[in-house]
Amino acid sequence: MKIGIPKALYYFEYPVLFKSFFEELGIEVVLSDDTDKNIVLNGIFKSIDEECLASKIFLGHIDNLVSRMEDENIDYIFVPRLCTFEDKKTICVKFYALYDICKNLFNARFITLNIDYEKGENMLKAFIKLGKVLGVPSYKSISAYIKSTKKQKDYDKLKIINQKKLLNSSRNLKILIVAHSYVYNDKYLSYTIKNYLKKLNVDIFYADINNNILKKEEKYKNISTSIYWKQNIDLLNGIEEYLKNVDGIIYLSVFPCGTDSLVNELTMRKIKDIPSMNIVLDEEDGNAGIYTRIESFVDILESRKNEVDVI
């Protein structure tokens, strides 16, 4: 059996978990291609105008897998329904609807995983049900789930260790990128920005790679006690953890993300003792204006750092 996984949205938050679960069950995983112009355009064509760019790109990746199903003998395309999590946390409602949207848009076979803690569907139950759909006994699904979650945790722990090592050893300007993993890990969306920062001798750190991944610290409540979107909470925890160790913050989001537009604005208003800039990516290709803004921002950070060094 072969299952296709689109390299967009949830894939970048759980790059090991889902893939490893299927492989532990002896199922071959086929990934969609890296995001390119064709995937973006196909996703835009399949979407309504009000969809955020990340959602449009996701549909482009689904289209990429659908076009390969027959030639590569892909049995199902995996699109989970991620709804609510522990402690009444939730995520953007677009993640709720992805499975249904894909089933209605594409003439293809889809399989899902329903995670909805409010309705009693926790992670373990969801994976057991997924296994049953695939004809796998519960004990095998439980074993695959335990092994894949451990691999995901090891992967996350290594990311934190590597980022902390760089933070402690860096002598360059340090900028914290506040962005979802599906934004900063997508080469089409963020490669040019990250590459340009590195050319300016800037070391980059990511807010969602923080200690709260391994243990609950709830540092985000220093910024807001009313935010309930899981992915934004992850970012706020990272801001609080790294705030005193970086020279500046770049908020990086896609247009028109509703949760980011609210949370980023709130955070920029509350955190005033460190320079920050907000970059919103859209469907246009031009980066000249973004480069100019980044260069000016880095100049400001260098000036501030030089002033501190002189004092």
Side-chain angles (χ1 to χ4, degrees), residues 5-17:
I5 298 180
K7 291 174 66 176
L9 292 182
Y10 60 83
Y11 170 80
F12 289 112
E13 187 170 357
Y14 304 103
V16 176
L17 178 63

Side-chain angles (χ1 to χ4, degrees), residues 172-305:
N172 297 326
L173 279 176
K174 297 183 279 291
I175 289 181
L176 183 68
I177 301 292
V178 179
H180 300 300
S181 56
Y182 56 78
V183 175
Y184 72 75
N185 276 319
D186 191 299
K187 293 179 180 179
Y188 183 89
L189 287 175
S190 64
Y191 174 78
T192 54
I193 292 174
K194 293 192 294 185
N195 193 47
Y196 192 66
L197 283 168
K198 291 176 182 177
K199 285 183 179 179
L200 297 174
N201 295 318
V202 171
D203 284 333
I204 302 171
F205 303 88
Y206 301 100
D208 67 335
I209 301 176
N210 60 72
N211 287 330
N212 194 66
I213 296 175
L214 304 177
K215 57 182 180 180
K216 293 182 181 180
E217 294 183 331
E218 297 189 333
K219 293 181 178 180
Y220 74 94
K221 290 184 178 179
N222 294 330
I223 299 174
S224 173
T225 58
S226 59
I227 299 298
Y228 52 84
W229 295 300
K230 177 183 178 295
Q231 291 163 316
N232 291 95
I233 287 174
D234 292 340
L235 295 177
L236 295 185
N237 279 320
I239 292 173
E240 280 295 301
E241 185 170 323
Y242 297 111
L243 185 61
K244 296 180 180 179
N245 299 300
V246 296
D247 300 294
I249 298 174
I250 293 180
Y251 297 88
L252 185 63
S253 59
V254 294
F255 180 83
C257 179
T259 59
D260 283 359
S261 62
L262 175 64
V263 177
N264 288 356
E265 179 68 22
L266 167 70
T267 309
M268 285 186 284
R269 291 188 181 193
K270 287 203 170 187
I271 298 178
K272 299 179 180 179
D273 54 350
I274 184 172
S276 64
M277 70 178 296
N278 188 30
I279 298 176
V280 181
L281 303 173
D282 56 25
E283 297 167 16
E284 300 299 323
D285 287 333
N287 287 315
I290 293 178
Y291 290 161
T292 302
R293 291 180 61 203
I294 290 174
E295 190 170 352
S296 299
F297 183 63
V298 171
D299 286 343
I300 292 171
L301 299 184
E302 288 178 340
S303 297
R304 281 172 56 93
K305 189 171 184 179

